[in-house]
Structures are given as C-alpha cells and as structure tokens.
Amino acid sequence: MSPLLRVLQDEVQIVALSFLGIVYVLKLLWIFRFPHRTERTFAAGSARAGVQSSLMNVLMPWQMESTRSDPVFYVQFALFHAGVLAAIALSFIVPYAPGLLVGHGVRPVMLATLIAALMIGLGRLARRIRRPGLRLISTPDDYLSLVLTIVFFATAALLLAAPADWGEGPAIAFFALTALFLVYVPFSKVCHYLYYPFTRIFLGHTLGHRGVVARRARVDAEGI
C-alpha cells in the first residue's frame, strides 16, 4: 500500500470525521439554547401520541400521501439511504476490517445496494432538473449535495468492483471523496438527519396536543 493511500484511509478520515463531529456538537449546543415552548391551551388530543407518530412517520409510508399513492417512491427512498449506509460502512471496513469483504456475500450485497442507490440518485437528479416546480424551489446546495452523493456511490461501487490490476486509483478516489464529503456534510442539506428528532418532536407534540393526529397512532400510544 502506498503512503498516500495509507494516510488517506486512516489519518485523513479521522481528521475529517473529527471535524464533522465538532461541527455537529456546536450545532446541537446552538439548538439547545432555544427554550422549550410550553403549550398555553387545553389539550384537545395527546401530545405523546403525536410525538410517537411523528418520529415513526419515516417507517410508515401509508401515512404520507406521496408514498401512499406511489409505493415505488418509498422503495427508492429506502434503497437510496441503504446506499448511503453501505458507502459509509465501506469507508470503515476497508481500512479496519477488510476481511468482511471476503466471502459471506457481503461484497456482492453492498455492490448491488450501491449500484441501485446510484441509479436512483441519477433519477432524482434528472427529475429535479426536468420538473419546473422542483427547479423553482431548488437551491445550489440541493444539486451539489445530490451530485456529491451520486459520485460517492459511484466511487464506492468502483472500489468494490474494480479488478486488482487497476491498482490503488479507485481506493484513492473513494477515500479522497469521503474526506471531502465529511467536511461538506455539516453545512449542507445532507445533515438533515441531525435535525430530524427535533423537528419531529416539535411538530408531533404541537399537532398531538391540538388533536391533529391519526386515531390509529393514539390507539397505539395510549390504548384509547
């Protein structure tokens, strides 16, 4: 292994990951500075049921009109995020546990997931460019985040699929892009998962308190 690849897949990743962690901690400290808002009205429903329903909403596609009317859209959502997890896992497996990619079917499963996520990412980019309504509400970060994620999938898939005689090129490209991604993510829409619990708890608590929550969710939460 060349010194460049050794440093890229170890020290550089640790520095980039530490930077991401520090920015996330600062963001969380900023969020926790906001005081908790107290409801001043009588409860018309269950805040707990609202919070529970809101937090679990991502796992209940039948509650969202977009995925209820088009289940394929939800499958694409799941595969796209599975691809993100596979690429992130690969950045740890290759330098620290490369034996996992030998046998056990891990490599082909990860490769298939990454290729599927890559195709879905390209489809999402084409949809965002083609539809006037989406273009109108898209920011430069929407495009850049999606393009970087697509390239992230492509380099991860190439790292798994490239024959040995291609040398270290695919690995250098993957780890260089991973480091860049780790530095960019905290300032982009990709870090939406950091805000997810806060926005969902606030929204669920508010709507649940006001009684705007599906009866099924309230039955599950309180047995009413």
Side-chain angles (χ1 to χ4, degrees):
M1 180 187 300
S2 68
L4 173 62
L5 179 56
R6 186 187 59 76
V7 172
L8 260 181
Q9 70 175 23
D10 193 0
E11 286 89 344
V12 171
Q13 301 304 312
I14 292 172
V15 170
L17 199 57
S18 300
F19 176 80
L20 178 140
I22 291 170
V23 176
Y24 275 2
V25 169
L26 292 176
K27 281 178 175 275
L28 289 174
L29 291 175
W30 174 74
I31 291 173
F32 283 121
R33 287 180 58 193
F34 291 94
H36 175 69
R37 185 176 61 86
T38 304
E39 288 284 355
R40 298 183 178 180
T41 59
F42 292 109
S46 168
R48 190 179 75 171
V51 170
Q52 179 177 302
S53 176
S54 184
L55 282 172
M56 300 301 291
N57 190 57
V58 70
L59 300 176
M60 298 184 290
W62 56 90
Q63 286 205 5
M64 295 180 285
E65 182 181 357
S66 58
T67 50
R68 182 170 58 246
S69 59
D70 185 6
V72 175
F73 192 76
Y74 186 77
V75 174
Q76 292 179 356
F77 161 82
L79 280 174
F80 186 83
H81 287 82
V84 172
L85 289 177
I88 293 173
L90 193 62
S91 69
F92 289 96
I93 290 174
V94 170
Y96 305 120
L100 290 177
L101 296 175
V102 181
H104 313 299
V106 174
R107 180 186 289 264
V109 169
M110 291 186 77
L111 181 58
T113 304
L114 287 166
I115 291 174
L118 173 62
M119 294 297 106
I120 292 167
L122 289 171
R124 286 186 171 198
L125 181 61
R127 185 166 61 98
R128 188 171 289 277
I129 294 173
R130 192 175 62 248
R131 294 191 178 181
L134 278 178
R135 285 204 308 272
L136 192 63
I137 62 172
S138 295
T139 66
D141 179 45
D142 290 321
Y143 294 103
L144 183 56
S145 295
L146 188 51
V147 168
L148 277 177
T149 306
I150 290 169
V151 179
F152 190 40
F153 292 150
T155 55
L158 185 63
L159 176 61
L160 287 175
D165 59 0
W166 283 24
E168 295 180 346
I172 290 173
F174 172 70
F175 284 106
L177 184 68
T178 302
L180 173 66
F181 213 31
L182 287 172
V183 173
Y184 177 69
V185 160
F187 307 104
S188 73
K189 64 175 291 183
V190 181
C191 74
H192 59 278
Y193 54 84
L194 184 69
Y195 305 120
Y196 182 86
F198 299 100
T199 56
R200 281 291 155 186
I201 290 173
F202 175 79
L203 181 65
H205 187 278
T206 301
L207 296 183
H209 178 84
R210 297 176 184 179
V212 189
V213 62
R215 176 172 171 76
R216 182 70 251 174
R218 190 172 180 183
V219 169
D220 291 342
E222 300 185 343
I224 298 174

